[in-house]
C-alpha cells in the first residue's frame, strides 16, 4: 500500500501512524517534494482486514485490532486468510448459523478474496445475538452495528 502525490508524481513518505485503541487506524503520509500531507483512516473492519492480510503500513505490520468477536481465528498473516470461513465450532454453544437463499446471494456479491472473512464476521454477529438464520436484513443490521457500511 502506498500513496502518490499526484502533482509531483512522487511516492509519499510515511510520517506517522496512530492506533487509537478502538480498532481504527490512522496513518499520515507526506510528499517529500511539495510537503503535501495526506492521511489514511481505516475503520475497525478495514484495519482488521489489513492486519489479516499481513499488509505492512509504513513498513510495520498493523497490530491485531481489538475487535471483539472476530479475533478468534483471524490472526495476522494466517495462511488460509483467503479461504472460505471454516465451519468450525465457535466458542459459543449455539449451532452454525443458517444462511438463507437471499443472504447467500448477497454474500456472493462480496469480492471472493474477503468473502470468507466477511461471512465469518456476520456469523459471529449472529451467534453473539442468538440469531439462527442469516438474512439480508440481519446483514444490514450487522453492517450498521459494526460500522461496515460500504462493505
Ligand atoms: Zn507533492
Amino acid at each position: 500500500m502506498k500513496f502518490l502525490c499526484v502533482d509531483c508524481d512522487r511516492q509519499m513518505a510515511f510520517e506517522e501512524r496512530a492506533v487509537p485503541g478502538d480498532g481504527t487506524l490512522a496513518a499520515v503520509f507526506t510528499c517529500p517534494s511539495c510537503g503535501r500531507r495526506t492521511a489514511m483512516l481505516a475503520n475497525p473492519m478495514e484495519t482488521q482486514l489489513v492486519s489479516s492480510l499481513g499488509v505492512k503500513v509504513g513498513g510495520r505490520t498493523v497490530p491485531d485490532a481489538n475487535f471483539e468477536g472476530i479475533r478468534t481465528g483471524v490472526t495476522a498473516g494466517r495462511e488460509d486468510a483467503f479461504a472460505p470461513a471454516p465451519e468450525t465450532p465457535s466458542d459459543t454453544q449455539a449451532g452454525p448459523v443458517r444462511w438463507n437463499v437471499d443472504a447467500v446471494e448477497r454474500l456472493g456479491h462480496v469480492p471472493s478474496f474477503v468473502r470468507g472473512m466477511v461471512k465469518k464476521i456476520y456469523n459471529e454477529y449472529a451467534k453473539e445475538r442468538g440469531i439462527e438464520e442469516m438474512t439480508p436484513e440481519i446483514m444490514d443490521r450487522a453492517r450498521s452495528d459494526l460500522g461496515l457500511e460500504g462493505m
Side-chain angles (χ1 to χ4, degrees), residues 84-105:
E87 305 298 332
T88 52
S90 80
D91 39 5
T92 65
Q93 298 296 324
V97 178
R98 288 189 311 275
W99 284 64
N100 79 4
V101 174
D102 292 336
V104 171
E105 149 83 16

Side-chain angles (χ1 to χ4, degrees), residues 5 7-8 31 33-36:
C5 176
D7 291 343
C8 308
C31 172
S33 181
C34 71
R36 177 188 301 206

